[in-house]
Amino acid sequence: MGGFYELYFEHAEEYGPLLNLKVATKKTTAGPVPMVVAGFPFFQLERFLKTLVQDLNKYVAISEEFPNNASEKVKSGGLLFDRKVTRVITPGTLVDEKFMDPYENNFILALHPESLVQENPSRTSGLAEARISGASAKQRVGLAWLDLSTGAFFTQFTTLDVLPSGIARIKAREIVLSKTIHDNMKQCILTLLGHEQHLVTWQPGFPKDMSITDWDPMLETPVAPAERGSFTEHEVLAGNILLEYVSDKLQGRAMKLQPPVKRHDAENMCIDKNSLKGLEILETFRDATAGGKGSLLHAIRRTVTKSGARLLRERLASPSMSLDIINHRLNLVERLVRNQLLKEDILNLLRRTFDSQRLVQKFSLGRGDADDLVSLQRTVVATEHIANVLGEALLEKHDFDSKKIDTKDCLSLILKSLSLKGPSELALRISEAIDEDGLIASHREERIQSSGVITMAQEILNGEGDEEDLQAMSPVLRSKTVVQSSSPTNGDEEDLWIMRRTASSILQRLHETLDLLRTEKLSLTTRLRSEMEAQSLTLRWTPGLGHICHVKGIKDVRASLTNHGSARNGSTTKSTRTFYLSEWSALGGRMDQVKMQMRAEEQRVFYELRDLVVTNLVKLRRNAAVLDELDVACSSAVLAAEQSLVRPILNDGTIHKIVAGRHPTVKLGLEEQGRAFISNDCFVGDKQKVWLITGPNMAGKSTFLRQNALISILAQVGSFVPAEHAEMGIVDQMFSRVGSADNLFEDQSTFMVEMLETASILKHATPRSFVIMDEVGRGTTPEDGIAVAFASLHHLYHTNHCRTLFATHFHVLADMTNDWKEVGCYCTDVSESSSGSFSYVHRLRHGVNRRSHALKVAKLAGIPDSAIDAAAQVLSSFQEPTNLEPEKQAQRAGRAPSRWAETYTGFRYDPGANLPSG
């Protein structure tokens, strides 16, 4: 409504209080209407959209005013304006809203599963993971997801049992499902999604019967004929649901997405959802903010562009399994590590770029303004400079170690990927057309105008609101009301043009015509001042009075007006007088006509530039992807120099050889406290495919497990790793069973959650997988816990055959597996002094440590001494009444003189034995 957005009826009553807006009743011809008084100024739309869409997960329909022409006025009963919904904004269909996270993709995901295989319900059918069992676990699901703000579009074919991990990796803001899917499948998927509190939108009706060729009008380039057959039926149906939904929300606005990229499980390391959380790859347990302090993403991110940060996040969630891709990335990082000057030059140029992925997408959706064109132009210019820097680097002589791969070719591949011919011409055209000084001045004028709207809103609140309403206006907005225009108010000098006069021949001719009219106006002003002897006389235009002659002071000019037969009096005050002169009215009308033509021509030039952007869409996006790759590579090179990282050596084997490995986030945390991190070696997967790790609480077992998993992930991302030497085989799946948590909402105890995660690992791990398991079986009795832990270890060793790091306080497991040739026992320790003080020995050694020293941790935590004494007496009663010194020596040597050892040493698992259940 004019300069305001308003809510009506039940929307006003429901959302007015949430938006801190005053709700009142307004009388209309239709009766009392509850409405938000004055709504909010149009320039505050982003602020309220953030609350509604991002914070409350609401869908917002925006209705705009459109002036009616003569015939439409008659049809509407004399209404001056018509109102139409121009766009429906949902959490997954954001385009260029300022509240979007620039460092995260804003994905919307559609799923299309096949019908669920009916199974007999059981007691555990209420549990999501337990429900996905047997034949239903392999139910096929098609996925399609896109980011409307960048145009990225992906599809994938997966199965129901690994769907939660895929959803966790994509991290969609909104998930779209068809209402037509079977009720059993609907309930199954909702159960899987419910724990993570995903926003689910139901799309009515069956998906449109479209083939993949029907997507072509919505893509920048059609899907290649050779690739069309690779998309499965379920992927296409999911894509149909997604595109239909997004098109509906855009209200017919055309979009140009990138061709769909089909993701394959065999192309990327699969990190299940529990490992993403447990390893704190993208966010920490304490803070769910993406890239929060303490996460791996925060620890390694040194990118300087927003789109580069998004690419790094994507690679961390889906590390590559292709040796060629990984080595190409590592070659690029190594080249930048060895050539610091090249790295700094590229970084300085990248800092001058803008988020061209999102800029280009705005233009493809018919959005974008002159500022976006300038940002795009600067990005293209910076890209040209980067191409020159890379070209010069290729000509330089370099002396690399002959044992290393020559990294010169990686720069050549990057340079060949850049397409500059069309974008360079576009950048030149933009710089020749847009007047940046005029653009800055126009923004200043917009701020002045917006302050006027705020003043109007404040006046309404002063008249109809209370003190609470006035306080609701943010201090920043209230401060804008004092902004005053410093521009002159007496003529066409106020006109601001964002296009140069040379932007087109028509515009240049119009500027020349306007210059002549201004000269004519100046001559008229001089003549009138002389004839009327009034040097303060000016020729003006005002919205209310039109073209007037204005005189300051109380000089009486009535006598002079009689000499001008066409002159007539206007308004008069104590200090000013105005009058109308036909000569000025005619001249002013001609000037207005020329200005209107100039604005129309400026608009035409702008649309022409916007079309040029769309014409160069493919090249601009390709160049943006190259800049992102350079940014991520520079980030890794900067990190390598900061943290003394080394290049990993990867192969198709199953070795995991790490010398002096370090945890990338824990090390940073300790350094902030002034403490040193103790590095450790890890040689698992060759002669010993399982490491059984024991040791005291707080002595670093969990850190050791996690750091080796993170080193593998970083290596396959294409980054240097925190170690002195790293050689490892490609990992197809990363699994971790660490930490403890319950899920009471889903009726899952801490132990049940632990068992669900363990079950997933045992069912899905392959010989190429990497598994870390920490204290399996701790959530139940010692006997049951030992049994579960042994069974898990037995399955990993004899069935999965995967690289495994297994930390436990069940020391007897070392005795039960002492004849397993490929199990190595390692431990951490505690160093005690004669005075009773102690320190942790974080360095791993070969052997078994049979004391957990839990009471030391309890005392450090502040448990009362009386409780500690009671615990010590109980612990003493459990110990054998033998000379402790030989036992300590045996513990140091890794032997086990204990009753547990006597019971379990030589234990043999008999798969055919008939044992009681439970």
Side-chain angles (χ1 to χ4, degrees), residues 896-915:
S898 66
R899 288 174 296 178
W900 286 106
E902 293 172 1
T903 303
Y904 290 106
T905 298
F907 174 83
R908 294 291 184 274
Y909 167 58
D910 181 5
N914 293 320
L915 298 176

Side-chain angles (χ1 to χ4, degrees), residues 544-716:
L545 300 176
H547 294 92
I548 58 171
C549 301
H550 182 274
V551 180
K552 290 183 179 179
I554 58 175
K555 180 178 176 60
D556 189 357
V557 296
R558 283 180 293 180
S560 302
L561 290 178
T562 58
N563 298 326
H564 297 273
S566 60
R568 57 187 178 88
N569 278 317
S571 61
T572 303
T573 66
K574 292 182 179 180
S575 59
T576 63
R577 179 183 294 275
T578 63
F579 59 92
Y580 295 93
L581 191 66
S582 60
E583 198 173 352
W584 164 229
S585 297
L587 176 59
R590 287 157 56 201
M591 293 179 69
D592 290 344
Q593 184 68 25
V594 172
K595 291 176 187 177
M596 187 168 60
Q597 293 174 358
M598 291 170 67
R599 298 204 183 280
E601 178 62 14
E602 279 201 339
Q603 191 80 344
R604 188 197 66 79
V605 172
F606 172 77
Y607 287 145
E608 179 185 282
L609 293 174
R610 193 168 68 179
D611 291 342
L612 281 175
V613 173
V614 176
T615 301
N616 288 277
L617 200 61
V618 176
K619 293 180 179 179
L620 290 169
R621 280 176 169 161
R622 187 182 303 151
N623 293 346
V626 173
L627 296 184
D628 294 345
E629 184 170 358
L630 283 171
D631 191 18
V632 172
C634 287
S635 172
S636 297
V638 170
L639 185 70
E642 288 179 3
Q643 304 292 330
S644 300
L645 309 185
V646 299
R647 174 172 178 157
I649 302 170
L650 290 105
N651 53 54
D652 286 322
T654 58
I655 192 173
H656 183 85
K657 182 178 180 182
I658 307 296
V659 178
R662 308 181 296 275
H663 194 294
T665 60
V666 174
K667 177 179 179 294
L668 294 178
L670 291 176
E671 288 176 346
E672 289 182 359
Q673 303 171 31
R675 299 164 59 191
F677 183 89
I678 304 300
S679 60
N680 271 301
D681 302 339
C682 182
F683 308 117
V684 69
D686 187 14
K687 296 180 180 178
Q688 297 173 335
K689 61 185 177 186
V690 176
W691 273 27
L692 184 63
I693 302 166
T694 56
N697 297 102
M698 293 286 294
K701 301 189 302 297
S702 297
T703 299
F704 177 75
L705 265 61
R706 287 176 169 93
Q707 79 184 35
N708 282 282
L710 295 179
I711 287 173
S712 291
I713 290 171
L714 286 176
Q716 289 184 222

Side-chain angles (χ1 to χ4, degrees), residues 220-262:
E220 63 181 21
T221 56
V223 178
E227 298 177 3
R228 292 171 187 167
S230 64
F231 294 90
T232 66
E233 175 189 359
H234 294 87
E235 286 176 286
V236 175
L237 288 171
N240 292 344
I241 295 171
L242 182 62
L243 295 176
E244 181 182 355
Y245 179 80
V246 172
S247 298
D248 177 66
K249 297 302 173 278
L250 291 176
Q251 292 292 293
R253 186 174 292 166
M255 59 178 168
K256 289 295 180 183
L257 303 171
Q258 300 176 44
V261 176
K262 181 177 174 64

Side-chain angles (χ1 to χ4, degrees), residues 730-751:
I730 291 292
V731 175
D732 64 348
Q733 298 179 86
M734 179 64 66
F735 295 102
S736 72
R737 157 81 285 281
V738 296
S740 62
D742 56 29
N743 181 8
L744 299 182
F745 181 78
E746 296 288 340
D747 192 25
Q748 298 174 6
S749 67
T750 301
F751 185 68

